[in-house]
Amino acid sequence: MSAAQRHAVRQLLRIAPVVDELGERFTAAGQELALVGGSVRDALLDRLGQDLDFTTSARPEQTKRLLSGWAESVWDVGEAYGTIGASKAGFQIEVTTYRSDVYDRASRKPQVAYGETISDDLVRRDFTINAMALRLPSREFVDPHGGLPDLGRKVIRTPGTPETSFSDDPLRMMRAARFAAQLGFQVAPEVIDAMRRMADRLDIISAERIRDELTKLLLSDDPRAGLTLLVDTGLADRMLPELPALRLEIDEHHRHKDVYEHSLTVLEQAIELEDRLPDGGPDLTIRLAALLHDIGKPKTRKFEPGGGVSFHHHDVVGAKMARKRLTKLRFPSATVDAVSKLTELHLRFHGYGTGQWTDSAVRRYIRDAGDLLDHLHVLTRSDCTTRNPRKAKALQRSYDSLEERIEQLAEQEELQKIRPDLDGNQIMAILGLTPGPVVGRAYKHMLDIRMDRGPLSEEEATAELLKWWAEQPEAAG
């Protein structure tokens, strides 16, 4: 028995009570049942979690009846696609009827067709490593397409021709890149060739499905491998064109960093620093921000006299571009806002210089970052990819100094909760105003005062408000 098979046996013993009971239940009803796909693959890789996937000869309504009374809960959200879900003993279970789908080449969704055998089901799966099954309760291993050898070689191949598989579901091209990132596997040359030739087929896939696949890739252990494959095959041009656009030409007269490689390195360095974040990692917001923080550079690049290159305002331009792209990919608005803000703020630290920022400047840095301050710390530290050790250490010391000052100020003042020394009600009472735009302007002025000078007494704050009010045209009226 190979090491992989021994690992699988240990995993299967852990889930045996559930899978054996379920297998016997379906067999008694005259139906076939098999553990399938990612569950078998992960068992062989000794990484099986709590999600178990099964395939069956039973139709969805029959599956629902067989699960009812055995499972702790049953749901039919995926019934239209032949899938019934359930939970049992801490496991999340999905049982799907054998599929033999028919795809309309211009449609984003398959026309669901049920198969009659497990062979019908396995041949339609995306890759050979996901086209293995374990019949239950007999535990007969089924591997008609050589998934086990491919798993041993760490190779991603398709059960049939790549062209057929990708025509059926073009998202599988992105999935190949995701598995390369998640598993550390190599994609077979013929699969890569098909990805290059068929990249434009990705255009028929919904933004939501692309977003979900990109998210899984970014949250993997090695997103660089998957992203590189997306760029090299032209798939990124179809769904994240800002990434390949970072590959700016570099010549001997206009030397500057390779922005594309720099961005991938920043992503890797941000991943290494994720333990600094409140929830640890993996963290989608910081990974997206690290990848996209410089996407404004191609649009702002300017060749300066003397051979230099500048990218003025690429932070502001990049923030707008990030917002537009992530919105188009249907990312949640909170994620869009966070990544856009981090992109806009990622250069702010470089004004810190030799640590001569005033307390007011530090307060504004904290105020502008808000709840994303820890993310901004990670992004800024990750954005140092210089090969000059002395420069790298100087930047690190400078940022250490800024963080120390932030902590010191935070102890003195509740910086995360900075508010003016007078609230809206106090402003209206002092100036005799009713709610309206003038109160908003007064509030903003008092907030600026608070940022510049720190906390004031009520008497001092009132004096500042009255001084401001005396200069306003409304006061004269």
Side-chain angles (χ1 to χ4, degrees):
M1 183 182 290
S2 69
Q5 289 170 322
R6 285 196 297 272
H7 287 318
V9 168
R10 285 202 298 271
Q11 295 280 21
L12 293 172
L13 285 173
R14 180 170 69 87
I15 65 173
V18 171
V19 299
D20 288 346
E21 284 178 18
L22 197 56
E24 289 166 2
R25 195 173 179 89
F26 274 72
T27 299
Q31 301 294 340
E32 297 177 357
L33 183 77
L35 191 70
V36 73
S39 294
V40 176
R41 178 199 71 220
D42 288 345
L44 290 165
L45 291 173
D46 198 19
R47 52 181 282 168
L48 183 61
Q50 298 301 109
D51 296 335
L52 302 178
D53 295 325
F54 298 86
T55 187
T56 182
S57 58
R59 295 300 189 255
E61 61 276 8
Q62 296 170 302
T63 297
K64 201 186 310 183
R65 286 198 299 270
L66 289 168
L67 290 173
S68 298
W70 174 82
E72 292 149 9
S73 61
V74 177
W75 54 90
D76 56 7
V77 174
E79 187 170 3
Y81 295 95
T83 300
I84 304 298
S87 63
K88 176 75 171 182
F91 292 99
Q92 298 298 306
I93 292 167
E94 287 193 350
V95 183
T96 303
T97 301
Y98 293 155
R99 295 271 290 272
S100 183
D101 295 343
V102 177
Y103 286 77
D104 180 339
R105 293 298 183 260
S107 172
R108 295 175 175 178
K109 296 180 180 178
Q111 299 172 20
V112 176
Y114 296 132
E116 297 302 321
T117 68
I118 195 169
S119 297
D120 293 338
D121 184 86
L122 295 180
V123 75
R124 60 161 284 278
R125 293 186 175 260
D126 52 6
F127 304 110
T128 60
I129 58 173
N130 296 329
M132 299 178 284
L134 192 70
R135 291 185 187 273
L136 299 168
S138 65
R139 300 193 186 179
E140 175 193 349
F141 185 61
V142 182
D143 184 20
H145 305 289
L148 187 58
D150 285 343
L151 201 65
R153 292 192 297 264
K154 297 186 176 183
V155 173
I156 297 171
R157 289 192 309 112
T158 53
T161 66
E163 291 78 9
T164 299
S165 181
F166 298 157
S167 290
D168 284 349
D169 185 359
L171 190 67
R172 290 174 174 175
M173 294 185 285
M174 280 191 70
R175 202 171 293 146
R178 189 243 296 181
F179 282 127
Q182 280 184 335
L183 302 176
F185 284 17
Q186 296 296 314
V187 180
E190 70 273 14
V191 175
I192 294 176
D193 289 343
M195 291 166 69
R196 286 196 178 101
R197 294 195 307 272
M198 301 177 69
D200 62 344
R201 289 281 297 153
L202 197 64
D203 294 348
I204 71 167
I205 301 299
S206 69
E208 290 82 1
R209 292 186 72 205
I210 290 174
R211 172 203 64 207
D212 291 347
E213 203 59 49
L214 177 61
T215 296
K216 291 174 185 177
L217 189 160
L218 285 173
L219 294 178
S220 68
D221 291 339
D222 182 21
R224 176 191 276 265
L227 292 168
T228 299
L229 189 56
L230 291 179
V231 170
D232 290 347
T233 56
L235 286 167
D237 290 314
R238 319 303 302 191
M239 38 71 67
L240 192 63
E242 295 80 5
L243 182 59
L246 292 175
R247 294 182 298 181
L248 302 174
E249 68 276 7
I250 303 173
D251 60 51
E252 60 182 351
H253 302 296
H254 300 288
R255 294 186 181 278
H256 58 83
K257 284 183 181 177
D258 182 333
V259 184
Y260 171 70
E261 283 297 325
H262 165 75
S263 298
L264 293 179
T265 300
V266 172
L267 171 60
E268 291 175 323
Q269 294 183 167
I271 291 172
E272 292 176 3
L273 295 176
E274 281 180 329
D275 59 354
R276 288 171 169 257
L277 299 175
D279 297 326
D283 186 280
L284 181 61
T285 295
I286 195 62
R287 295 189 184 200
L288 280 169
L291 183 66
L292 302 180
H293 74 285
D294 272 346
I295 60 172
K297 280 192 170 180
K299 282 193 174 183
T300 58
R301 183 175 60 163
K302 181 180 179 182
F303 297 118
E304 302 288 355
V309 179
S310 67
F311 303 96
H312 296 309
H313 307 300
H314 77 268
D315 47 346
V316 177
V317 172
K320 293 177 180 177
M321 292 173 65
R323 178 175 295 280
K324 183 177 180 181
R325 175 55 55 193
L326 296 180
T327 299
K328 189 170 184 178
L329 287 173
R330 304 288 193 272
F331 277 93
S333 58
T335 302
V336 175
D337 291 344
V339 174
S340 178
K341 178 184 276 191
L342 288 169
T343 302
E344 186 171 358
L345 294 177
H346 82 273
L347 289 182
R348 183 74 68 85
F349 159 72
H350 294 286
Y352 189 64
T354 57
Q356 299 304 309
W357 273 9
T358 62
D359 284 351
S360 171
V362 175
R363 289 190 195 101
R364 290 181 185 279
Y365 188 81
I366 298 167
R367 173 77 182 192
D368 290 347
D371 293 339
L372 293 170
L373 182 60
D374 290 315
H375 286 74
L376 186 57
H377 287 334
V378 169
L379 178 59
T380 304
R381 287 183 179 277
S382 303
D383 197 20
C384 174
T385 60
T386 178
R387 295 178 181 177
N388 184 325
R390 187 172 63 179
K391 184 177 179 182
K393 286 182 179 178
L395 284 169
Q396 182 176 331
R397 283 195 301 270
S398 186
Y399 207 84
D400 287 343
S401 169
L402 175 58
E403 286 203 44
E404 288 170 7
R405 288 187 63 191
I406 288 172
E407 289 179 11
Q408 291 166 1
L409 274 175
E411 290 178 5
Q412 301 166 17
E413 313 169 20
E414 292 188 84
L415 291 179
Q416 296 286 10
K417 301 177 182 178
I418 288 181
R419 299 289 185 273
D421 295 292
L422 301 173
D423 63 24
N425 290 328
Q426 290 173 302
I427 290 171
M428 288 188 288
I430 293 168
L431 300 182
L433 297 174
T434 57
V438 178
V439 178
R441 282 173 24 219
Y443 185 92
K444 183 179 182 303
H445 173 74
M446 294 308 297
L447 179 59
D448 288 340
I449 294 288
R450 172 70 175 79
M451 288 286 192
D452 289 338
R453 294 171 51 183
L456 302 177
S457 68
E458 186 173 347
E459 183 180 348
E460 291 170 327
T462 299
E464 288 294 337
L465 176 63
L466 292 173
K467 179 181 177 182
W468 171 86
W469 178 243
E471 298 172 353
Q472 303 309 305
E474 292 85 352

